[in-house]
Amino acid sequence: MKESDESSNYKIHSTYAIVILSAIIVGLVSVKWSEVPRLYEYINFALTMSSLILAILAIVYALHSSGTLFKTLDKIEGSAESIKTISSDISESNNELRKEVERIPSAITSVDKKLDDSQQLIRRLSEESFFTPSSGDKEKHDISEGLVKRYIEKSPLLGCDALLVVIIMYKEEVVADLDQLLSKVGNDFSSRYMFAYIISAESMGLISFEHIEMTGRIKLTFVNNALMENVERIHSEKYQALSKSLKESGRQDRYEKVKNRHVEIIEAVKEEKHLC
């Protein structure tokens, strides 16, 4: 369908062109050119004007082509710069990749060394004990001070509360019902948590206590020296940091509850001493 339309248009335009050219030829033949006065001058003038017009068109076309050529050259130059930059980036990437590949053997060696060191450390730890017996009437264990400090620092706030209660009880020689005392410094959940934390500290050999028969009370008989020296300071520092954070974040209600926590626990334990 499309080809037939194009063929039909071609025939129509060809017919127009033939008719127009035929009319021009007939017109030229029918004119008596010899009778036209100054025909030579007209022809000369027409040729001159045609030359001028063609020259102007040639200049305009040359300028246009030159501008297009300059744009094309600029694009080619930009593309060349881009290719140069990309080539440089690829070269740098190759150099970095080569360096990384060269570091792989040394990294593998380092990993192997660290694995060997870890195995040796594990072997040494398995052969040694953190606990070394100390002299005394009762069999107790001294734990390294650094380990005790890390234990306190890593303890949660409720755990630190429990340790502080134990320290103050030992210092003030308080004999008290531990369940009741812990209930005063915490709610039902926190008091049970603190009680469990105290039991775990006893299992580690950090503290020991004895039960007073028929009273339900306990008396601290031993507290690790490192625990004694560091609990109060670390407990105070933890609550100071928490209070500062709560105050800066605008949590005023929570801030009011914890700002005097350290002092409240100490006073609660000392008050228990007077009740006894």
Side-chain angles (χ1 to χ4, degrees):
M1 183 68 178
K2 187 175 181 180
E3 292 180 357
S4 61
D5 291 340
E6 290 179 355
S7 177
S8 176
N9 291 334
Y10 174 75
K11 290 179 180 179
I12 293 172
H13 293 312
S14 298
T15 303
Y16 290 155
I18 291 171
V19 170
I20 292 170
L21 290 173
S22 298
I24 292 172
I25 292 170
V26 170
L28 291 173
V29 171
S30 61
V31 174
K32 294 182 180 181
W33 298 103
S34 59
E35 296 179 359
V36 177
R38 302 173 66 183
L39 177 63
Y40 175 76
E41 293 179 3
Y42 292 153
I43 293 173
N44 244 349
F45 179 75
L47 291 174
T48 302
M49 292 301 297
S50 299
S51 298
L52 289 174
I53 293 171
L54 291 173
I56 292 170
L57 290 174
I59 293 170
V60 171
Y61 180 75
L63 292 174
H64 176 71
S65 299
S66 177
T68 305
L69 178 62
F70 285 144
K71 290 181 181 178
T72 304
L73 290 175
D74 287 338
K75 290 181 180 179
I76 293 173
E77 185 178 0
S79 299
E81 289 293 333
S82 299
I83 292 171
K84 184 179 179 181
T85 303
I86 293 171
S87 175
S88 177
D89 292 342
I90 292 173
S91 178
E92 291 179 2
S93 299
N94 286 335
N95 291 334
E96 292 178 359
L97 179 61
R98 183 168 58 253
K99 291 178 181 178
E100 292 295 331
V101 171
E102 290 174 353
R103 280 199 290 266
I104 288 175
S106 60
I108 294 174
T109 303
S110 176
V111 170
D112 290 339
K113 186 177 182 301
K114 289 180 180 179
L115 286 174
D116 292 338
D117 293 343
S118 299
Q119 290 174 353
Q120 292 176 6
L121 177 61
I122 292 171
R123 192 180 302 112
R124 188 165 62 250
L125 290 176
S126 65
E127 295 172 354
E128 297 177 358
S129 173
F130 282 111
F131 306 100
T132 57
S134 62
S135 59
D137 295 333
K138 296 184 178 180
E139 183 181 357
K140 294 191 173 56
H141 298 90
D142 291 334
I143 307 176
S144 66
E145 183 177 356
L147 185 61
V148 174
K149 288 181 68 175
R150 287 197 299 274
Y151 168 73
I152 303 169
E153 290 169 353
K154 297 298 182 182
S155 294
L157 289 174
L158 285 176
C160 282
D161 289 350
L163 295 176
L164 181 62
V165 168
V166 168
I167 295 300
I168 303 304
M169 284 183 67
Y170 186 76
K171 285 184 175 181
E172 298 293 329
E173 298 181 351
V174 175
V175 178
D177 185 318
L178 193 58
D179 283 335
Q180 292 182 2
L181 177 57
L182 294 176
S183 298
K184 291 181 178 181
V185 297
N187 55 35
D188 183 61
F189 169 77
S190 61
S191 63
R192 291 178 183 274
Y193 183 95
M194 288 187 285
F195 185 85
Y197 213 83
I198 291 172
I199 299 301
S200 69
E202 183 194 24
S203 300
M204 293 174 61
L206 292 173
I207 63 172
S208 62
F209 53 82
E210 60 182 20
H211 294 272
I212 308 299
E213 293 183 4
M214 307 300 293
T215 63
R217 297 179 179 183
I218 66 167
K219 178 181 179 181
L220 271 295
T221 57
F222 166 78
V223 174
N224 179 277
N225 287 332
L227 193 70
M228 178 85 70
E229 293 172 358
N230 292 284
V231 165
E232 289 190 65
R233 176 181 58 80
I234 295 176
H235 184 276
S236 177
E237 290 174 354
K238 283 192 174 188
Y239 272 97
Q240 285 177 4
L242 177 61
S243 299
K244 182 179 179 182
S245 175
L246 292 172
K247 189 173 183 180
E248 291 176 351
S249 61
R251 299 174 62 184
Q252 191 65 26
D253 55 339
R254 177 71 175 146
Y255 166 74
E256 293 295 336
K257 291 180 180 179
V258 303
K259 67 176 182 178
N260 296 320
R261 178 69 171 167
H262 180 77
V263 176
E264 288 173 355
I265 292 175
I266 295 174
E267 290 179 350
V269 178
K270 290 182 177 180
E271 181 181 350
E272 189 69 18
K273 179 180 180 179
H274 296 310
L275 293 177
C276 296

